[in-house]
Amino acid sequence: MMLIAQNHLQLILEVGIMLFILMVFVLNLIPLSLSVVTFLSLFIAGGFTLLFGADIALLVISSSQAEFTHPFGPIALMGAVTALASLKVMKNSGVDVRPLRRFVILFIAGITVFGGLMHRSFLLLWILGLFIGYLMISKTFREKSVLTLRRILIFLGVAVAGFLGLEVISRVSGMTIFSPMLRLSRLEQYSLSSVKMVLNNIQLIGHSGNASYWGAEGTAFAEGYITLPMQLVLFFGLPFPMFFGVLVNQKDTVDYMLPGIMGYGFDFGYLGLIGLIVFVLGTIIIGLKILTMYREKREKNSKKYLGKEVLLIGALSAFCAQALIGLFVFNRTINGTALLAFMFLGCVILANAVTLKSRT
């Protein structure tokens, strides 16, 4: 009975442990060569290009969409950056990568357009993740002029052009859902009151009971403001408080209108927030150290870890971008199904630190 989660936080921790164990076995038992990882990264990037495109088509045709960019955007980012890193390894080995490069650029352009049309927060995540991925690839392969004014201006220009393009599309089509200005006005209208509510009620563990939607029936801790996918909770039949229908408006106060540091702090308290920050920083530091080890082995002409190296670059880039946007801009970027994706990326990174030895 002790293994049965009693609240949302315990469920998150248990699922995280299971994901970590799964990824340890996957990385150790499945031969992840460079060709296998390259194929998988292209498959992921191409698949999400089609998926995001179909989602936008449904939005235009029937005003109905699944919003795949929130939960799966970081995974698509991992696929794209991993593909770019794979191309760099193959190019340095003398392979003509121009045909594959065209596909990668096509996938990146498609995801940028389709994902940006669906969510402005995704566009921030995507551009930031590609920038981090570019820096990480340059550093790993010891390229000169990693940071130049021209390259920084290019990334900033792409971001500005993307948001301006969305506003133009919104005005021309009359579909305000595409408008970044509308989203900013909503944040301006609702976020200040949300910030005050959180700051006035956050405690060392959880929040004050009178701030909870559930009132006296609530637990004032891990009440579902931060949670794994609702379908997962229902699948296991766990009796946790969850937000349905009109109640989502109550959750949006914390889930959408606030950065993640306040969302996690409100639901889990200051201790929960500290735990999240330790996990994020620890995962990034461990990932960078392992990446350095992989680079040293590659520079000694060892090809054993090439697949894991490029996969780690992609996972680290996506994890860093999702953490930055989720913690400091939109809580929804690391909540719900997006939280499951965040945990998956973290487990992919940390699993590289574990090596299973077989008996001969």
Side-chain angles (χ1 to χ4, degrees), residues 56-91:
I56 281 294
L58 288 175
L59 176 62
V60 174
I61 296 173
S62 61
S63 298
S64 175
Q65 75 282 346
E67 300 187 4
F68 292 117
T69 50
H70 273 313
F72 301 121
I75 307 299
L77 180 58
M78 180 188 72
V81 175
T82 299
L84 291 173
S86 297
L87 293 181
K88 177 63 68 175
V89 174
M90 290 188 286
K91 183 179 179 181

PDB file of all heavy atoms in Angstrom, residues 56-91:
ATOM      1  N   ILE A  56      -2.914  22.361 -36.802  1.00  0.00           N
ATOM      2  CA  ILE A  56      -3.241  23.693 -37.320  1.00  0.00           C
ATOM      3  C   ILE A  56      -4.342  23.606 -38.371  1.00  0.00           C
ATOM      4  O   ILE A  56      -5.247  24.456 -38.426  1.00  0.00           O
ATOM      5  CB  ILE A  56      -1.984  24.363 -37.910  1.00  0.00           C
ATOM      6  CG1 ILE A  56      -1.124  24.935 -36.785  1.00  0.00           C
ATOM      7  CG2 ILE A  56      -2.346  25.483 -38.872  1.00  0.00           C
ATOM      8  CD1 ILE A  56      -1.766  26.085 -36.028  1.00  0.00           C
ATOM      9  N   ALA A  57      -4.294  22.588 -39.213  1.00  0.00           N
ATOM     10  CA  ALA A  57      -5.329  22.408 -40.229  1.00  0.00           C
ATOM     11  C   ALA A  57      -6.698  22.231 -39.575  1.00  0.00           C
ATOM     12  O   ALA A  57      -7.700  22.800 -40.037  1.00  0.00           O
ATOM     13  CB  ALA A  57      -4.998  21.204 -41.109  1.00  0.00           C
ATOM     14  N   LEU A  58      -6.764  21.463 -38.501  1.00  0.00           N
ATOM     15  CA  LEU A  58      -8.029  21.280 -37.785  1.00  0.00           C
ATOM     16  C   LEU A  58      -8.512  22.591 -37.172  1.00  0.00           C
ATOM     17  O   LEU A  58      -9.711  22.874 -37.147  1.00  0.00           O
ATOM     18  CB  LEU A  58      -7.856  20.227 -36.684  1.00  0.00           C
ATOM     19  CG  LEU A  58      -7.722  18.772 -37.150  1.00  0.00           C
ATOM     20  CD1 LEU A  58      -7.443  17.866 -35.957  1.00  0.00           C
ATOM     21  CD2 LEU A  58      -8.988  18.319 -37.865  1.00  0.00           C
ATOM     22  N   LEU A  59      -7.563  23.393 -36.679  1.00  0.00           N
ATOM     23  CA  LEU A  59      -7.934  24.680 -36.091  1.00  0.00           C
ATOM     24  C   LEU A  59      -8.561  25.603 -37.131  1.00  0.00           C
ATOM     25  O   LEU A  59      -9.560  26.268 -36.864  1.00  0.00           O
ATOM     26  CB  LEU A  59      -6.698  25.338 -35.479  1.00  0.00           C
ATOM     27  CG  LEU A  59      -6.882  26.747 -34.906  1.00  0.00           C
ATOM     28  CD1 LEU A  59      -7.871  26.734 -33.755  1.00  0.00           C
ATOM     29  CD2 LEU A  59      -5.544  27.316 -34.459  1.00  0.00           C
ATOM     30  N   VAL A  60      -7.981  25.626 -38.332  1.00  0.00           N
ATOM     31  CA  VAL A  60      -8.483  26.505 -39.390  1.00  0.00           C
ATOM     32  C   VAL A  60      -9.804  25.993 -39.949  1.00  0.00           C
ATOM     33  O   VAL A  60     -10.740  26.758 -40.197  1.00  0.00           O
ATOM     34  CB  VAL A  60      -7.430  26.634 -40.506  1.00  0.00           C
ATOM     35  CG1 VAL A  60      -7.998  27.425 -41.684  1.00  0.00           C
ATOM     36  CG2 VAL A  60      -6.165  27.281 -39.981  1.00  0.00           C
ATOM     37  N   ILE A  61      -9.891  24.659 -40.115  1.00  0.00           N
ATOM     38  CA  ILE A  61     -11.077  24.084 -40.750  1.00  0.00           C
ATOM     39  C   ILE A  61     -12.275  24.019 -39.810  1.00  0.00           C
ATOM     40  O   ILE A  61     -13.393  24.393 -40.169  1.00  0.00           O
ATOM     41  CB  ILE A  61     -10.758  22.666 -41.287  1.00  0.00           C
ATOM     42  CG1 ILE A  61      -9.709  22.752 -42.396  1.00  0.00           C
ATOM     43  CG2 ILE A  61     -12.014  21.988 -41.804  1.00  0.00           C
ATOM     44  CD1 ILE A  61      -9.214  21.406 -42.855  1.00  0.00           C
ATOM     45  N   SER A  62     -12.034  23.562 -38.577  1.00  0.00           N
ATOM     46  CA  SER A  62     -13.171  23.303 -37.679  1.00  0.00           C
ATOM     47  C   SER A  62     -13.075  24.014 -36.335  1.00  0.00           C
ATOM     48  O   SER A  62     -13.893  23.767 -35.451  1.00  0.00           O
ATOM     49  CB  SER A  62     -13.284  21.795 -37.433  1.00  0.00           C
ATOM     50  OG  SER A  62     -12.103  21.301 -36.824  1.00  0.00           O
ATOM     51  N   SER A  63     -12.055  24.865 -36.156  1.00  0.00           N
ATOM     52  CA  SER A  63     -11.851  25.575 -34.887  1.00  0.00           C
ATOM     53  C   SER A  63     -11.687  24.609 -33.721  1.00  0.00           C
ATOM     54  O   SER A  63     -12.023  24.908 -32.581  1.00  0.00           O
ATOM     55  CB  SER A  63     -13.004  26.543 -34.597  1.00  0.00           C
ATOM     56  OG  SER A  63     -13.090  27.521 -35.596  1.00  0.00           O
ATOM     57  N   SER A  64     -11.175  23.434 -34.016  1.00  0.00           N
ATOM     58  CA  SER A  64     -10.925  22.429 -32.985  1.00  0.00           C
ATOM     59  C   SER A  64      -9.482  21.962 -33.102  1.00  0.00           C
ATOM     60  O   SER A  64      -9.002  21.714 -34.202  1.00  0.00           O
ATOM     61  CB  SER A  64     -11.873  21.240 -33.139  1.00  0.00           C
ATOM     62  OG  SER A  64     -11.556  20.211 -32.223  1.00  0.00           O
ATOM     63  N   GLN A  65      -8.780  21.874 -31.976  1.00  0.00           N
ATOM     64  CA  GLN A  65      -7.389  21.462 -32.008  1.00  0.00           C
ATOM     65  C   GLN A  65      -7.022  20.727 -30.731  1.00  0.00           C
ATOM     66  O   GLN A  65      -7.680  20.864 -29.716  1.00  0.00           O
ATOM     67  CB  GLN A  65      -6.462  22.677 -32.189  1.00  0.00           C
ATOM     68  CG  GLN A  65      -6.285  23.553 -30.963  1.00  0.00           C
ATOM     69  CD  GLN A  65      -7.455  24.467 -30.718  1.00  0.00           C
ATOM     70  OE1 GLN A  65      -8.298  24.654 -31.584  1.00  0.00           O
ATOM     71  NE2 GLN A  65      -7.498  25.060 -29.528  1.00  0.00           N
ATOM     72  N   ALA A  66      -5.959  19.939 -30.835  1.00  0.00           N
ATOM     73  CA  ALA A  66      -5.518  19.156 -29.680  1.00  0.00           C
ATOM     74  C   ALA A  66      -4.386  19.840 -28.922  1.00  0.00           C
ATOM     75  O   ALA A  66      -4.053  19.442 -27.821  1.00  0.00           O
ATOM     76  CB  ALA A  66      -5.068  17.763 -30.130  1.00  0.00           C
ATOM     77  N   GLU A  67      -3.772  20.870 -29.523  1.00  0.00           N
ATOM     78  CA  GLU A  67      -2.681  21.622 -28.912  1.00  0.00           C
ATOM     79  C   GLU A  67      -1.525  20.696 -28.523  1.00  0.00           C
ATOM     80  O   GLU A  67      -1.124  20.614 -27.360  1.00  0.00           O
ATOM     81  CB  GLU A  67      -3.175  22.423 -27.706  1.00  0.00           C
ATOM     82  CG  GLU A  67      -4.255  23.433 -28.056  1.00  0.00           C
ATOM     83  CD  GLU A  67      -4.620  24.348 -26.891  1.00  0.00           C
ATOM     84  OE1 GLU A  67      -3.980  24.238 -25.828  1.00  0.00           O
ATOM     85  OE2 GLU A  67      -5.531  25.172 -27.048  1.00  0.00           O
ATOM     86  N   PHE A  68      -0.983  20.009 -29.509  1.00  0.00           N
ATOM     87  CA  PHE A  68       0.112  19.083 -29.262  1.00  0.00           C
ATOM     88  C   PHE A  68       1.414  19.789 -28.905  1.00  0.00           C
ATOM     89  O   PHE A  68       2.342  19.155 -28.377  1.00  0.00           O
ATOM     90  CB  PHE A  68       0.348  18.215 -30.505  1.00  0.00           C
ATOM     91  CG  PHE A  68      -0.773  17.254 -30.791  1.00  0.00           C
ATOM     92  CD1 PHE A  68      -1.505  17.359 -31.970  1.00  0.00           C
ATOM     93  CD2 PHE A  68      -1.094  16.251 -29.896  1.00  0.00           C
ATOM     94  CE1 PHE A  68      -2.535  16.471 -32.243  1.00  0.00           C
ATOM     95  CE2 PHE A  68      -2.126  15.360 -30.158  1.00  0.00           C
ATOM     96  CZ  PHE A  68      -2.856  15.473 -31.331  1.00  0.00           C
ATOM     97  N   THR A  69       1.513  21.092 -29.196  1.00  0.00           N
ATOM     98  CA  THR A  69       2.784  21.786 -28.988  1.00  0.00           C
ATOM     99  C   THR A  69       3.165  21.861 -27.519  1.00  0.00           C
ATOM    100  O   THR A  69       4.344  21.801 -27.174  1.00  0.00           O
ATOM    101  CB  THR A  69       2.719  23.208 -29.567  1.00  0.00           C
ATOM    102  OG1 THR A  69       1.532  23.858 -29.089  1.00  0.00           O
ATOM    103  CG2 THR A  69       2.682  23.179 -31.078  1.00  0.00           C
ATOM    104  N   HIS A  70       2.179  22.021 -26.630  1.00  0.00           N
ATOM    105  CA  HIS A  70       2.504  22.091 -25.202  1.00  0.00           C
ATOM    106  C   HIS A  70       3.148  20.806 -24.695  1.00  0.00           C
ATOM    107  O   HIS A  70       4.243  20.835 -24.130  1.00  0.00           O
ATOM    108  CB  HIS A  70       1.245  22.398 -24.383  1.00  0.00           C
ATOM    109  CG  HIS A  70       0.966  23.861 -24.243  1.00  0.00           C
ATOM    110  ND1 HIS A  70       1.939  24.766 -23.900  1.00  0.00           N
ATOM    111  CD2 HIS A  70      -0.176  24.569 -24.379  1.00  0.00           C
ATOM    112  CE1 HIS A  70       1.408  25.979 -23.842  1.00  0.00           C
ATOM    113  NE2 HIS A  70       0.139  25.884 -24.136  1.00  0.00           N
ATOM    114  N   PRO A  71       2.509  19.657 -24.877  1.00  0.00           N
ATOM    115  CA  PRO A  71       3.086  18.437 -24.308  1.00  0.00           C
ATOM    116  C   PRO A  71       4.257  17.868 -25.088  1.00  0.00           C
ATOM    117  O   PRO A  71       5.161  17.268 -24.502  1.00  0.00           O
ATOM    118  CB  PRO A  71       1.902  17.461 -24.302  1.00  0.00           C
ATOM    119  CG  PRO A  71       1.030  17.919 -25.426  1.00  0.00           C
ATOM    120  CD  PRO A  71       1.160  19.412 -25.438  1.00  0.00           C
ATOM    121  N   PHE A  72       4.255  18.041 -26.420  1.00  0.00           N
ATOM    122  CA  PHE A  72       5.241  17.348 -27.241  1.00  0.00           C
ATOM    123  C   PHE A  72       6.276  18.268 -27.879  1.00  0.00           C
ATOM    124  O   PHE A  72       7.189  17.791 -28.551  1.00  0.00           O
ATOM    125  CB  PHE A  72       4.530  16.544 -28.329  1.00  0.00           C
ATOM    126  CG  PHE A  72       3.573  15.529 -27.795  1.00  0.00           C
ATOM    127  CD1 PHE A  72       2.220  15.574 -28.133  1.00  0.00           C
ATOM    128  CD2 PHE A  72       4.007  14.529 -26.947  1.00  0.00           C
ATOM    129  CE1 PHE A  72       1.329  14.634 -27.636  1.00  0.00           C
ATOM    130  CE2 PHE A  72       3.118  13.586 -26.439  1.00  0.00           C
ATOM    131  CZ  PHE A  72       1.777  13.635 -26.789  1.00  0.00           C
ATOM    132  N   GLY A  73       6.132  19.568 -27.682  1.00  0.00           N
ATOM    133  CA  GLY A  73       7.102  20.504 -28.251  1.00  0.00           C
ATOM    134  C   GLY A  73       8.535  20.207 -27.836  1.00  0.00           C
ATOM    135  O   GLY A  73       9.446  20.186 -28.679  1.00  0.00           O
ATOM    136  N   PRO A  74       8.804  19.961 -26.545  1.00  0.00           N
ATOM    137  CA  PRO A  74      10.180  19.663 -26.136  1.00  0.00           C
ATOM    138  C   PRO A  74      10.730  18.386 -26.770  1.00  0.00           C
ATOM    139  O   PRO A  74      11.927  18.309 -27.071  1.00  0.00           O
ATOM    140  CB  PRO A  74      10.065  19.520 -24.613  1.00  0.00           C
ATOM    141  CG  PRO A  74       8.858  20.314 -24.240  1.00  0.00           C
ATOM    142  CD  PRO A  74       7.912  20.145 -25.381  1.00  0.00           C
ATOM    143  N   ILE A  75       9.876  17.383 -26.981  1.00  0.00           N
ATOM    144  CA  ILE A  75      10.339  16.143 -27.612  1.00  0.00           C
ATOM    145  C   ILE A  75      10.701  16.411 -29.076  1.00  0.00           C
ATOM    146  O   ILE A  75      11.701  15.898 -29.588  1.00  0.00           O
ATOM    147  CB  ILE A  75       9.262  15.046 -27.532  1.00  0.00           C
ATOM    148  CG1 ILE A  75       8.795  14.862 -26.079  1.00  0.00           C
ATOM    149  CG2 ILE A  75       9.795  13.736 -28.089  1.00  0.00           C
ATOM    150  CD1 ILE A  75       9.879  14.437 -25.136  1.00  0.00           C
ATOM    151  N   ALA A  76       9.877  17.231 -29.745  1.00  0.00           N
ATOM    152  CA  ALA A  76      10.197  17.615 -31.125  1.00  0.00           C
ATOM    153  C   ALA A  76      11.518  18.376 -31.179  1.00  0.00           C
ATOM    154  O   ALA A  76      12.331  18.183 -32.093  1.00  0.00           O
ATOM    155  CB  ALA A  76       9.066  18.462 -31.703  1.00  0.00           C
ATOM    156  N   LEU A  77      11.735  19.229 -30.181  1.00  0.00           N
ATOM    157  CA  LEU A  77      12.990  19.987 -30.106  1.00  0.00           C
ATOM    158  C   LEU A  77      14.176  19.050 -29.909  1.00  0.00           C
ATOM    159  O   LEU A  77      15.223  19.225 -30.546  1.00  0.00           O
ATOM    160  CB  LEU A  77      12.905  20.984 -28.954  1.00  0.00           C
ATOM    161  CG  LEU A  77      14.132  21.870 -28.708  1.00  0.00           C
ATOM    162  CD1 LEU A  77      14.474  22.685 -29.947  1.00  0.00           C
ATOM    163  CD2 LEU A  77      13.881  22.792 -27.514  1.00  0.00           C
ATOM    164  N   MET A  78      14.029  18.065 -29.057  1.00  0.00           N
ATOM    165  CA  MET A  78      15.094  17.083 -28.868  1.00  0.00           C
ATOM    166  C   MET A  78      15.417  16.382 -30.188  1.00  0.00           C
ATOM    167  O   MET A  78      16.597  16.190 -30.526  1.00  0.00           O
ATOM    168  CB  MET A  78      14.670  16.048 -27.823  1.00  0.00           C
ATOM    169  CG  MET A  78      15.726  14.975 -27.564  1.00  0.00           C
ATOM    170  SD  MET A  78      15.185  13.612 -26.504  1.00  0.00           S
ATOM    171  CE  MET A  78      14.053  12.756 -27.626  1.00  0.00           C
ATOM    172  N   GLY A  79      14.380  15.999 -30.947  1.00  0.00           N
ATOM    173  CA  GLY A  79      14.605  15.330 -32.214  1.00  0.00           C
ATOM    174  C   GLY A  79      15.350  16.207 -33.209  1.00  0.00           C
ATOM    175  O   GLY A  79      16.276  15.749 -33.888  1.00  0.00           O
ATOM    176  N   ALA A  80      14.964  17.480 -33.278  1.00  0.00           N
ATOM    177  CA  ALA A  80      15.594  18.388 -34.243  1.00  0.00           C
ATOM    178  C   ALA A  80      17.056  18.646 -33.897  1.00  0.00           C
ATOM    179  O   ALA A  80      17.935  18.597 -34.774  1.00  0.00           O
ATOM    180  CB  ALA A  80      14.815  19.707 -34.288  1.00  0.00           C
ATOM    181  N   VAL A  81      17.349  18.925 -32.631  1.00  0.00           N
ATOM    182  CA  VAL A  81      18.734  19.214 -32.231  1.00  0.00           C
ATOM    183  C   VAL A  81      19.598  17.961 -32.346  1.00  0.00           C
ATOM    184  O   VAL A  81      20.757  18.029 -32.764  1.00  0.00           O
ATOM    185  CB  VAL A  81      18.778  19.774 -30.799  1.00  0.00           C
ATOM    186  CG1 VAL A  81      20.223  19.962 -30.339  1.00  0.00           C
ATOM    187  CG2 VAL A  81      18.032  21.102 -30.720  1.00  0.00           C
ATOM    188  N   THR A  82      19.038  16.803 -32.001  1.00  0.00           N
ATOM    189  CA  THR A  82      19.780  15.546 -32.153  1.00  0.00           C
ATOM    190  C   THR A  82      20.135  15.308 -33.617  1.00  0.00           C
ATOM    191  O   THR A  82      21.252  14.876 -33.943  1.00  0.00           O
ATOM    192  CB  THR A  82      18.950  14.366 -31.614  1.00  0.00           C
ATOM    193  OG1 THR A  82      18.675  14.564 -30.229  1.00  0.00           O
ATOM    194  CG2 THR A  82      19.695  13.054 -31.798  1.00  0.00           C
ATOM    195  N   ALA A  83      19.200  15.593 -34.518  1.00  0.00           N
ATOM    196  CA  ALA A  83      19.463  15.435 -35.951  1.00  0.00           C
ATOM    197  C   ALA A  83      20.588  16.372 -36.406  1.00  0.00           C
ATOM    198  O   ALA A  83      21.477  15.970 -37.168  1.00  0.00           O
ATOM    199  CB  ALA A  83      18.194  15.698 -36.748  1.00  0.00           C
ATOM    200  N   LEU A  84      20.565  17.613 -35.930  1.00  0.00           N
ATOM    201  CA  LEU A  84      21.620  18.567 -36.287  1.00  0.00           C
ATOM    202  C   LEU A  84      22.983  18.100 -35.773  1.00  0.00           C
ATOM    203  O   LEU A  84      23.992  18.218 -36.470  1.00  0.00           O
ATOM    204  CB  LEU A  84      21.291  19.948 -35.720  1.00  0.00           C
ATOM    205  CG  LEU A  84      20.101  20.684 -36.349  1.00  0.00           C
ATOM    206  CD1 LEU A  84      19.791  21.951 -35.573  1.00  0.00           C
ATOM    207  CD2 LEU A  84      20.379  21.008 -37.813  1.00  0.00           C
ATOM    208  N   ALA A  85      22.998  17.582 -34.530  1.00  0.00           N
ATOM    209  CA  ALA A  85      24.257  17.086 -33.977  1.00  0.00           C
ATOM    210  C   ALA A  85      24.755  15.869 -34.761  1.00  0.00           C
ATOM    211  O   ALA A  85      25.966  15.716 -34.995  1.00  0.00           O
ATOM    212  CB  ALA A  85      24.066  16.725 -32.500  1.00  0.00           C
ATOM    213  N   SER A  86      23.845  15.000 -35.188  1.00  0.00           N
ATOM    214  CA  SER A  86      24.230  13.824 -35.979  1.00  0.00           C
ATOM    215  C   SER A  86      24.848  14.241 -37.311  1.00  0.00           C
ATOM    216  O   SER A  86      25.843  13.657 -37.765  1.00  0.00           O
ATOM    217  CB  SER A  86      23.006  12.933 -36.223  1.00  0.00           C
ATOM    218  OG  SER A  86      22.481  12.435 -35.016  1.00  0.00           O
ATOM    219  N   LEU A  87      24.256  15.246 -37.929  1.00  0.00           N
ATOM    220  CA  LEU A  87      24.796  15.732 -39.196  1.00  0.00           C
ATOM    221  C   LEU A  87      26.212  16.282 -39.011  1.00  0.00           C
ATOM    222  O   LEU A  87      27.074  16.107 -39.879  1.00  0.00           O
ATOM    223  CB  LEU A  87      23.890  16.819 -39.772  1.00  0.00           C
ATOM    224  CG  LEU A  87      22.491  16.385 -40.220  1.00  0.00           C
ATOM    225  CD1 LEU A  87      21.726  17.570 -40.791  1.00  0.00           C
ATOM    226  CD2 LEU A  87      22.566  15.260 -41.244  1.00  0.00           C
ATOM    227  N   LYS A  88      26.436  16.936 -37.862  1.00  0.00           N
ATOM    228  CA  LYS A  88      27.771  17.480 -37.597  1.00  0.00           C
ATOM    229  C   LYS A  88      28.800  16.357 -37.473  1.00  0.00           C
ATOM    230  O   LYS A  88      29.911  16.456 -38.014  1.00  0.00           O
ATOM    231  CB  LYS A  88      27.731  18.295 -36.313  1.00  0.00           C
ATOM    232  CG  LYS A  88      29.082  18.860 -35.888  1.00  0.00           C
ATOM    233  CD  LYS A  88      29.653  19.836 -36.903  1.00  0.00           C
ATOM    234  CE  LYS A  88      28.823  21.096 -36.967  1.00  0.00           C
ATOM    235  NZ  LYS A  88      29.453  22.102 -37.866  1.00  0.00           N
ATOM    236  N   VAL A  89      28.456  15.278 -36.775  1.00  0.00           N
ATOM    237  CA  VAL A  89      29.375  14.143 -36.632  1.00  0.00           C
ATOM    238  C   VAL A  89      29.667  13.526 -37.997  1.00  0.00           C
ATOM    239  O   VAL A  89      30.826  13.237 -38.334  1.00  0.00           O
ATOM    240  CB  VAL A  89      28.778  13.081 -35.683  1.00  0.00           C
ATOM    241  CG1 VAL A  89      29.667  11.834 -35.661  1.00  0.00           C
ATOM    242  CG2 VAL A  89      28.636  13.638 -34.274  1.00  0.00           C
ATOM    243  N   MET A  90      28.625  13.319 -38.790  1.00  0.00           N
ATOM    244  CA  MET A  90      28.813  12.696 -40.092  1.00  0.00           C
ATOM    245  C   MET A  90      29.615  13.589 -41.027  1.00  0.00           C
ATOM    246  O   MET A  90      30.461  13.102 -41.791  1.00  0.00           O
ATOM    247  CB  MET A  90      27.455  12.348 -40.707  1.00  0.00           C
ATOM    248  CG  MET A  90      26.742  11.210 -40.007  1.00  0.00           C
ATOM    249  SD  MET A  90      25.245  10.648 -40.867  1.00  0.00           S
ATOM    250  CE  MET A  90      24.137  12.013 -40.488  1.00  0.00           C
ATOM    251  N   LYS A  91      29.385  14.885 -40.971  1.00  0.00           N
ATOM    252  CA  LYS A  91      30.138  15.814 -41.817  1.00  0.00           C
ATOM    253  C   LYS A  91      31.616  15.800 -41.464  1.00  0.00           C
ATOM    254  O   LYS A  91      32.487  15.811 -42.348  1.00  0.00           O
ATOM    255  CB  LYS A  91      29.569  17.222 -41.663  1.00  0.00           C
ATOM    256  CG  LYS A  91      30.246  18.254 -42.557  1.00  0.00           C
ATOM    257  CD  LYS A  91      29.624  19.627 -42.381  1.00  0.00           C
ATOM    258  CE  LYS A  91      30.323  20.653 -43.271  1.00  0.00           C
ATOM    259  NZ  LYS A  91      29.734  22.011 -43.086  1.00  0.00           N
TER     260      LYS A  91
END
